[in-house]
Amino acid sequence: DLDIPSGGLKRLYHHVEVLNQVGLPAFILHVKSGFKIADMPDVPIKYLDTQQALSPGDIVVIPETFPDFMQRLVGKPLRKFVIALSWAFIYSPMPWRTDWRNFEIERVLTVTDYVEDFVTWSMGLPVHQLAFSINPQKYYYDPSVKKPQICVFGRKAPCIGPLRNLLGARDPAYINDISWKV
């Protein structure tokens, strides 16, 4: 239950929206009754603190940064998957010498080859890579309308300096001809 802007949460809500649109019943699971995140797709939501939240055999997909939540589900008759959008957050919140196998995680969903390889190498768990489509009505390149730019989330701003330095060293046009938005 994090009420902060997050691309990962938006992605999870979108997945639930798409699953329901194609006839697969899915829902977002929050911990406390009544919790809702603003500006997310309108999807079914269940709450862990209610009796009817989960049924035996349900598949629970847990973000990679929630080992405490994974621990709460150990021993429950559920199928447990992890969605790992970034390799960088996999081990930092976990106790020392622990990985997802300790939490009865059955499989991992990723979005990149790099994360897939990292999980396979470090834990030996089965991994499935999700394909994300891009809306060509919204994201397209027309040089007469759209100029090259790089946009960065504010919380990622500390990474801009080294990235600009790297790109500028490779080719000054990457810095001079591209608009940088933070």
Side-chain angles (χ1 to χ4, degrees):
D1 295 358
L2 299 172
D3 195 15
I4 58 170
S6 163
L9 284 172
K10 188 123 184 153
R11 199 171 263 194
L12 292 174
Y13 268 75
H14 179 68
H15 276 299
V16 169
E17 180 181 46
V18 169
L19 288 169
N20 280 286
Q21 286 172 352
V22 298
L24 296 169
F27 54 88
I28 291 290
L29 179 66
H30 285 296
V31 176
K32 294 181 183 150
S33 293
F35 182 84
K36 185 159 174 40
I37 301 174
D39 298 326
M40 292 289 173
D42 186 24
V43 300
I45 298 175
K46 290 188 178 185
Y47 298 94
L48 191 60
D49 64 358
T50 63
Q51 293 292 354
Q52 54 279 68
L54 298 170
S55 301
D58 278 352
I59 298 172
V60 180
V61 181
I62 308 160
E64 76 266 42
T65 56
F66 289 85
D68 293 343
F69 188 74
M70 295 174 203
Q71 182 63 51
R72 289 175 73 172
L73 299 178
V74 168
K76 301 214 183 297
L78 303 164
R79 297 184 70 194
K80 300 162 203 116
F81 294 12
V82 167
I83 186 164
L85 302 179
S86 170
W87 67 272
F89 305 118
I90 291 176
Y91 281 95
S92 58
M94 274 196 281
W96 181 248
R97 294 189 175 185
T98 302
D99 69 40
W100 295 331
R101 295 172 293 189
N102 299 96
F103 304 116
E104 303 171 345
I105 300 303
E106 178 181 330
R107 105 177 19 253
V108 179
L109 308 172
T110 68
V111 295
T112 67
D113 291 336
Y114 186 81
V115 177
E116 180 177 353
D117 292 346
F118 182 83
V119 170
T120 301
W121 179 84
S122 67
M123 296 182 211
L125 287 168
V127 179
H128 176 76
Q129 193 173 133
L130 300 171
F132 287 105
S133 62
I134 296 176
N135 179 346
Q137 304 302 318
K138 190 173 187 178
Y139 301 104
Y140 61 92
Y141 180 65
D142 177 350
S144 68
V145 178
K146 295 187 173 193
K147 303 298 178 205
Q149 66 179 353
I150 295 176
C151 300
V152 180
F153 291 112
R155 63 187 165 91
K156 303 286 186 180
C159 301
I160 296 256
L163 177 61
R164 288 184 74 170
N165 190 22
L166 169 108
L167 293 174
R170 174 75 168 93
D171 184 342
Y174 290 141
I175 303 303
N176 301 331
D177 299 344
I178 296 174
S179 172
W180 290 71
K181 308 284 184 191
V182 180

